[in-house]
């Protein structure tokens, strides 16, 4: 079995190529960090070639977590061949990594991707000449349009058969001389294919790299002297010296192989003039988001969901199930389980599928045409103003689907403290499972108002930004922000299959949950709410005796905690806690608790009973609490894995719950204050909290203090 590794910069099209080659459906994104772990597949119709999709990296020498994954894989596993995917639209930057990969001693082929765009822009790349200068085969391909893939296979076959790799040194002058000297010193310790690699690494980083080798003290001193002499004579540090050499080489190579056209702005550039304009960009983004959420939650999606709830479940499935259960003379407890537990709980969640699909459709569309990449870029600009890294936005964006991959996407962040902060705050953004809660509140309490959904989204974002500012000022999170580089791919026509696939993937995982974990929780909730202890014996309760159930007992204890937030009923408390298992449970639990006994009359329609339990202020507070509090167990697990530290995981959960509690408390108390114009203990506390948060946000930065102390 031959192992072929796909390596390249973020966004150069590796995953697109991987999917085209293996026929699999890995997620394609328009921003770095989508592939955070390597994926393996089999080359279509070639039983002896395995293809590995590595995370995108800009270089092999800086060490963010995903760069390390790629680097370790290449160096430790030694694949038979690297297919270096190079974005033809950004040759200069992409070839930097190429020069490093070539030094690794592993045979390499360059897949010159995006050739369709290069041609469309009427640029010219002299592929043969480039191939000569870079001493390796180059195949021009378009991964998106499946062009050049047979030729790529042919070249791959030839290379793995020959296993030949031409090592060459791109260095000149004093750098070359020094490298040659270093290589001579390492002769005994390194295989010839790796000598150059180690010599360059040594120049770049100094001592560490040769720690593991058994060199005599004499040799070490010699090496160190060579390195010092070079850095002193060039008045630069090792890393920059090597980088300069690489760029010099690349510029030379491109000078007579690559002809740029300078015929003004492309259509894509022109769109960007407006869409990424300093003043217009954020308003445009806000408008687009509002339109999408309005369409998904109240527009088309809302209508479809109403139909599913009222007609499909209310008039078809529920009466039919009832009729069937009656006709087979089903035991009373069993029909209650089926109607009040399973159908009510699972049905309430499934009812939201149309809304989800509409939302996912539009998000996938924005992603595929290239708009989302612009947003990451824009928000980087905004985040930077608050001293936050724009890289934190990518995890956020992914978390709109599901928090688990969102949390994992934090691996692109090099800075440990920033990464930690991102892991803690990412799940503030409403994931798709929270959408039903949003839709429920909007529908039941605000007459389907369009603003509830986009507001939830912005509240999540605000919580992230404010947390960023606040946490950065503490000792544990003080750090400088890392810059964020990324390619903006030109806008292109969306590909229907990409969009439908992405929509279906996300939608399906939601449906699957409804059939498994939601179903199970619904049954448990039904059991706990339908049974109680009477005279020391387990009895099934009448619908009117709900308050004697186990669940009522547990919920009442809990509810004390939530009284200040305005929703201290035991039903709401139980629902919020059941969200820990999966956020969809919040709605299904409410459906079961409010629906029991009424099922026959108004189907699984819980809006009426919901409105009777909540005031508008309490509803908003309930929504915000559920948006911000600790995520589901799956996401908590992801936090634990990524933090790799028990205390930090606890801190994350604690912090999220505190933020949720404080935010909901303030919302509820301020809403009450406005409504009733009465000053209460609650409103005084809220004002006090508000002041304290303001103080924490505005106080001096910790880093500055710390520096002064030193
Ligand atoms: P990765 O980060 O390297 O895995 O890159 P992806 O495979 O996720 O692709 C990034 C973007 O480039 C996506 O929007 C792709 O649709 C687009 N893309 C990839 N290959 C091509 C190509 O050959 N031509 C064009 N026009 N776009 C491409
Ligand atoms: Mg990828």
């Amino acid at each position: 079995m031959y192992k072929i590794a796909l390596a390249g910069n973020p966004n150069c099209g590796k995953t697109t190529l991987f999917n085209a080659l293996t026929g699999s459906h890995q997620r394609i994104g328009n921003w770095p960090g989508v592939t955070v772990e390597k994926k393996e597949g089999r080359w279509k119709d070639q039983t002896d070639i395995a293809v590995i999709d590595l995370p995108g990296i800009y270089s092999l020498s800086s060490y963010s977590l995903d760069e390390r994954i790629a680097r370790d894989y290449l160096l430790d596993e030694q694949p038979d061949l690297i297919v270096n995917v190079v974005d033809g639209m950004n040759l200069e930057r992409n070839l930097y990594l190429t020069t490093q990969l070539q030094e690794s001693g592993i045979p390499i082929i360059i897949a010159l991707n995006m050739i369709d765009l290069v041609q469309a822009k009427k640029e010219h790349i002299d592929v043969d000449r480039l191939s000569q200068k870079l001493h390796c085969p180059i195949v021009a391909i378009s991964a998106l349009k499946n062009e050049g893939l047979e030729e790529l296979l042919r070249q791959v076959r030839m290379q793995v058969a020959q296993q030949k790799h031409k090592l060459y040194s791109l260095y000149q002058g004093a750098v070359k001389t020094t490298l040659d000297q270093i290589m001579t010193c390492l002769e005994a310790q390194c295989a010839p294919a790796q000598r150059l690699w180690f010599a360059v690494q040594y120049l770049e980083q100094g001592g560490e790299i040769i720690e593991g080798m058994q060199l005599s003290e004499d040799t070490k001193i010699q090496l160190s002297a060579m390195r010092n002499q070079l850095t002193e004579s060039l008045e630069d540090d090792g890393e920059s010296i090597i980088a300069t050499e690489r760029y010099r080489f690349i510029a030379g190579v491109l000078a007579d192989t690559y002809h740029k056209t300078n015929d003004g702005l492309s259509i894509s550039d022109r769109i960007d003039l407006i869409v990424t304009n300093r003043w217009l960009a954020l308003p445009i983004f806000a408008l687009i988001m509002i339109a999408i959420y309005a369409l998904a939650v109240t527009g088309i999606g809302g209508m479809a969901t109403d139909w599913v709830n009222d007609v499909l479940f209310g008039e078809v499935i529920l009466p039919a199930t009832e009729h069937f259960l009656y006709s087979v003379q089903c035991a009373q407890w069993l029909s209650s389980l089926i109607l009040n537990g399973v159908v009510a709980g699972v049905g309430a969640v499934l009812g939201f599928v149309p809304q989800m699909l509409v939302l996912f459709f539009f998000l996938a569309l924005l992603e595929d045409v290239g708009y989302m990449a612009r947003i990451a870029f824009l928000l980087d600009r905004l985040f930077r103003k608050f001293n936050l890294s724009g890289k934190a936005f990518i995890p956020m964006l992914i978390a709109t689907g599901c928090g688990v991959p969102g949390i994992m996407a934090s691996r692109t962040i090099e800075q440990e403290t920033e990464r930690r902060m991102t892991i803690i705050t990412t799940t503030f953004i409403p994931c798709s499972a929270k959408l039903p809660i949003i839709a429920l509140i909007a529908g039941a309490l605000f007459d389907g108002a369009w603003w509830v959904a986009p507001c939830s989204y912005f509240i999540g974002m605000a919580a992230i930004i404010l947390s960023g500012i606040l946490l950065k000022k503490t000792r544990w999170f003080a750090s400088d922000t890392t810059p964020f580089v990324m390619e903006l791919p030109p806008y292109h026509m969306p590909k229907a299959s990409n969009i439908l696939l992405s929509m279906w993937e996300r939608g399906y995982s939601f449906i699957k949950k409804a059939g498994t974990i939601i179903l199970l929780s619904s049954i448990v909730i039904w059991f706990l709410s339908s049974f109680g202890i009477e005279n020391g014996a387990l009895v099934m309760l009448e619908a009117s005796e709900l308050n004697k159930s186990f669940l009522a007992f547990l919920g009442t204890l809990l509810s004390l905690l939530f009284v200040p937030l305005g929703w201290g009923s035991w039903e709401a408390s139980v629902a919020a806690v059941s969200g820990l298992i999966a956020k969809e449970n919040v709605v299904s639990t409410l459906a079961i608790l409010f629906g029991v006994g009424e099922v026959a009359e108004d189907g699984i329609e819980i809006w009426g009973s919901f409105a009777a339990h909540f005031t508008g202020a309490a509803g908003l507070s309930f929504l915000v609490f559920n948006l911000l509090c600790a995520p589901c167990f799956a996401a908590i697990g992801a936090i634990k894995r990524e933090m790799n530290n028990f205390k930090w995981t606890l801190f994350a959960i604690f912090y999220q719950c505190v933020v949720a509690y404080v935010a909901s408390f303030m919302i509820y108390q301020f809403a009450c204050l406005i409504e009733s114009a009465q000053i209460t203990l609650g409103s005084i506390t809220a004002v006090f909290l508000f002041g304290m948060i303001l103080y924490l946000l505005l106080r001096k930065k910790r880093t500055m203090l710390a520096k002064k102390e030193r």
Side-chain angles (χ1 to χ4, degrees):
M1 177 69 76
Y2 296 115
K3 281 188 292 187
I4 314 279
L6 301 184
N9 286 10
N11 250 354
C12 65
K14 284 178 309 300
T15 303
T16 312
L17 180 62
F18 180 81
N19 287 350
L21 293 183
T22 60
S24 81
H25 302 293
Q26 295 300 341
R27 205 159 138 48
I28 294 172
N30 249 319
W31 48 77
V34 173
T35 312
V36 282
E37 259 171 307
K38 54 183 202 300
K39 305 233 163 64
E40 202 168 327
R42 200 65 62 82
W43 196 310
K44 257 192 279 184
D45 310 323
Q46 312 292 321
T47 45
D48 59 341
I49 305 182
V51 186
I52 295 107
D53 184 22
L54 295 176
I57 47 177
Y58 287 112
S59 86
L60 286 178
S61 42
S62 75
Y63 299 138
S64 74
L65 200 50
D66 54 339
E67 277 169 340
R68 216 165 345 183
I69 292 175
R71 181 177 175 276
D72 289 351
Y73 178 81
L74 291 176
L75 298 182
D76 299 344
E77 306 269 316
Q78 293 277 331
D80 297 282
L81 179 70
I82 298 174
V83 171
N84 175 207
V85 185
V86 164
D87 172 1
M89 300 292 285
N90 287 289
L91 271 181
E92 192 166 345
R93 159 94 60 69
N94 276 250
L95 288 181
Y96 189 87
L97 177 68
T98 308
T99 59
Q100 286 188 323
L101 290 174
Q102 287 186 318
E103 283 165 7
S104 71
I106 304 166
I108 188 169
I109 290 182
I110 293 178
L112 184 60
N113 194 24
M114 314 248 180
I115 203 70
D116 54 321
L117 294 177
V118 175
Q119 283 159 356
K121 222 178 154 198
K122 301 220 165 46
E123 296 194 338
H124 182 72
I125 302 173
D126 186 341
V127 176
D128 291 338
R129 193 124 175 212
L130 191 62
S131 161
Q132 271 169 21
K133 298 210 164 207
L134 292 173
H135 308 275
C136 74
I138 300 184
V139 186
I141 64 163
S142 166
L144 191 68
K145 307 201 163 153
N146 285 336
E147 285 166 18
L149 302 187
E150 300 87 37
E151 175 61 16
L152 184 66
L153 177 63
R154 210 175 63 79
Q155 290 285 350
V156 165
R157 283 254 168 245
M158 238 158 78
Q159 284 296 311
V160 289
Q162 293 174 346
Q163 279 292 331
K164 256 204 322 227
H165 178 55
K166 180 147 173 46
L167 263 182
Y168 69 97
S169 168
L170 56 85
Y171 305 94
Q172 284 183 355
V175 186
K176 182 170 169 39
T177 321
T178 310
L179 280 174
D180 286 343
Q181 288 169 347
I182 297 178
M183 280 161 71
T184 319
C185 281
L186 298 179
E187 221 154 43
Q189 271 71 32
C190 289
Q194 281 169 350
R195 235 169 261 157
L196 180 64
W197 167 265
F198 278 106
V200 172
Q201 292 269 307
Y202 179 70
L203 254 194
E204 277 185 321
Q205 295 159 32
E208 263 172 67
I209 197 82
I210 51 164
E211 273 315 285
M213 298 181 190
Q214 279 147 13
L215 293 169
S216 67
E217 280 310 307
D218 254 9
T219 324
K220 280 186 186 167
I221 294 168
Q222 249 182 339
L223 282 173
S224 165
M226 291 172 194
R227 183 166 185 267
N228 288 342
Q229 201 213 339
L230 184 71
T231 51
E232 272 159 33
S233 73
L234 294 181
E235 292 180 349
D236 211 343
D237 60 89
E239 225 175 323
S240 325
I241 291 175
I242 296 289
T244 314
E245 280 289 290
R246 289 191 201 281
Y247 278 123
R248 178 196 50 72
F249 172 74
I250 293 169
V253 166
L254 289 182
D256 57 347
T257 55
Y258 176 45
H259 305 289
K260 263 195 171 153
T261 45
N262 266 330
D263 56 349
L265 298 174
S266 65
I267 300 177
S268 186
D269 294 337
R270 260 173 247 191
I271 299 178
D272 270 343
L273 276 187
I274 303 173
V275 171
T276 60
N277 174 286
R278 178 179 283 266
W279 304 108
L280 293 178
L282 286 176
I284 291 178
F285 172 54
L287 276 182
I288 290 181
M289 272 348 244
I290 288 172
I292 286 182
Y293 270 81
L295 262 178
V297 177
T298 45
I300 319 172
M303 284 188 294
T305 286
D306 284 350
W307 182 84
V308 171
N309 277 340
D310 298 348
V311 182
L312 191 63
F313 275 99
E315 290 172 19
V316 181
I317 295 183
L318 200 64
T321 323
E322 244 180 331
H323 185 77
F324 171 77
L325 292 175
Y326 183 76
S327 70
V328 296
Q329 296 184 328
C330 178
Q332 199 221 336
W333 69 268
L334 187 59
S335 66
S336 166
L337 168 64
I338 294 174
L339 292 173
N340 303 335
V342 175
V343 177
V346 175
V349 171
L350 282 184
F352 291 100
V353 167
Q355 285 177 328
M356 301 264 176
L357 291 182
V358 175
L359 180 72
F360 294 154
F361 175 83
F362 282 113
L363 289 180
L365 183 75
L366 285 188
E367 192 181 323
D368 204 49
V369 296
Y371 183 68
M372 281 303 193
R374 267 78 185 170
I375 296 304
F377 169 73
L378 282 178
L379 285 174
D380 181 48
R381 217 155 56 186
L382 177 75
F383 278 22
R384 199 156 294 278
K385 286 210 180 85
F386 302 111
N387 227 348
L388 299 173
S389 160
K391 278 198 176 175
F393 178 68
I394 291 149
M396 250 167 80
L397 209 59
I398 296 175
T400 55
C402 171
V404 174
I407 291 165
M408 282 172 61
S410 68
R411 291 187 188 180
T412 48
I413 299 171
E414 293 102 26
Q415 256 285 334
E416 189 62 26
T417 50
E418 247 172 36
R419 189 168 114 80
R420 221 173 259 150
M421 198 159 81
T422 305
I423 296 173
I424 295 172
T425 54
T426 297
T427 52
F428 283 154
I429 215 73
C431 69
S432 58
K434 291 177 189 167
L435 203 67
I437 313 175
I438 299 173
L440 175 69
I441 303 277
L445 298 179
F446 297 97
D447 205 18
W450 60 269
W451 50 267
V452 179
C455 265
S456 316
Y457 198 78
F458 292 127
I459 286 177
M461 228 140 89
I464 293 178
I465 293 184
L466 295 182
S467 295
I469 301 174
L470 206 143
L471 291 177
K472 271 252 160 164
K473 291 186 185 188
T474 63
R475 181 156 34 105
W476 308 302
F477 291 93
S479 71
D480 296 325
T481 47
T482 38
F484 167 51
V485 229
M486 103 178 213
E487 245 64 68
L488 285 186
Y491 293 101
H492 60 86
M493 284 306 280
K495 208 170 155 185
S497 64
N498 272 352
I499 296 181
L500 295 179
L501 189 75
S502 158
M503 173 177 105
W504 173 243
E505 248 177 17
R506 289 172 165 197
Y508 177 67
S509 70
F510 182 79
I511 296 172
K512 204 167 65 184
K513 259 206 264 172
T516 51
I517 193 159
I518 314 283
L519 175 68
L520 207 70
S521 322
S522 293
I523 294 174
V524 172
I525 296 282
W526 168 85
F527 173 79
L528 290 176
S529 68
S530 307
F531 288 85
I533 302 276
E534 231 164 51
N535 303 329
L538 185 72
V539 288
M540 189 169 166
L541 302 164
E542 293 290 319
S544 56
E545 301 173 312
L546 200 57
N547 54 1
K548 290 185 194 158
S549 65
F550 293 124
L551 204 60
F553 175 72
L554 296 175
T556 312
L557 285 183
L558 261 174
S559 62
L560 293 177
L561 204 61
F562 299 119
V563 171
L565 308 188
W567 40 277
S569 73
W570 67 265
E571 291 96 335
S573 313
V574 168
V577 171
S578 73
L580 281 177
I581 299 168
K583 290 294 163 187
E584 293 93 332
N585 268 341
V586 175
V587 169
S588 63
T589 303
L590 287 176
I592 294 171
L593 295 184
F594 291 160
V596 175
E598 298 168 29
V599 164
E601 292 128 56
D602 43 6
I604 56 156
E605 180 68 270
I606 54 167
W607 289 6
S609 18
F610 189 80
H613 273 77
F614 286 83
T615 61
L620 274 189
S621 143
F622 181 71
L623 174 62
V624 169
F625 185 83
N626 282 296
L627 287 183
L628 301 180
C629 72
C632 63
F633 286 136
I636 292 179
I639 293 178
K640 168 83 186 25
R641 275 198 308 278
E642 294 301 312
M643 290 282 194
N644 206 3
N645 179 313
F646 185 66
K647 274 189 200 148
W648 275 114
T649 311
L650 270 189
F651 175 81
I653 297 167
F654 175 75
Y655 179 78
Q656 290 156 346
C657 290
V658 168
V659 168
Y661 196 89
V662 171
S664 313
F665 178 76
M666 290 195 333
I667 286 182
Y668 178 67
Q669 296 296 343
F670 283 132
C672 287
L673 186 66
I674 295 169
E675 233 169 52
S676 66
Q678 269 176 3
I679 297 175
T680 59
L681 184 63
S683 49
I684 296 172
T685 319
V687 171
F688 173 73
L689 279 175
F690 186 71
M692 212 165 86
I693 293 171
L694 268 189
Y695 165 73
L696 288 177
L697 286 175
L698 298 177
R699 81 194 168 120
K700 271 230 187 68
K701 247 185 96 174
R702 174 81 202 190
T703 37
M704 275 151 61
L705 291 176
K707 268 183 198 146
K708 265 187 210 144
E709 277 162 21
R710 265 189 253 140

